């Protein structure tokens, strides 16, 4: 988890990206903590459609950003 996110972040920085974004379900506290540990900051929330039991369901997700520059 942590090492992978750090590696991806470093690769993106070298490739010239300014920011990375992650969308995480609010109830996924483990992922939220991991992304925050790497340096991602909560910047907002939005809704996405997911399939649950074959039916589309609109769910809130939290948007995190990591500034690379």
């Amino acid at each position: 988890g942590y090492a992978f996110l750090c590696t991806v972040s470093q690769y993106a920085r070298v490739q010239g990206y300014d920011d990375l974004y992650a969308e995480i379900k609010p109830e996924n506290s483990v992922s939220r903590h991991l992304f925050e540990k790497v340096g991602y900051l909560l910047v907002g929330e939005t809704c996405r459609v997911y399939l649950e039991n074959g039916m589309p369901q609109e769910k809130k997700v939290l948007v995190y950003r990591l500034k690379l520059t």
Side-chain angles (χ1 to χ4, degrees), residues 6-26:
C6 289
T7 300
V8 168
S9 301
Q10 181 59 30
Y11 179 79
R13 187 176 288 113
V14 169
Q15 295 301 311
Y17 288 88
D18 295 325
D19 304 286
L20 290 178
Y21 290 87
E23 294 181 356
I24 304 170
K25 293 180 181 178

Side-chain angles (χ1 to χ4, degrees), residues 3-6 9-10 13-14 18 22 27-28 30-31 33 36 41 43 47 49-50 53-55 57 60-62 69:
F4 176 77
L5 285 178
C6 289
S9 301
Q10 181 59 30
R13 187 176 288 113
V14 169
D18 295 325
E27 64 271 16
N28 191 343
V30 173
S31 288
H33 177 73
E36 289 167 359
L41 298 175
V43 294
C47 290
V49 176
Y50 294 95
N53 299 321
M55 300 295 296
Q57 301 289 321
K60 179 174 84 168
V61 293
L62 302 175
T69 55

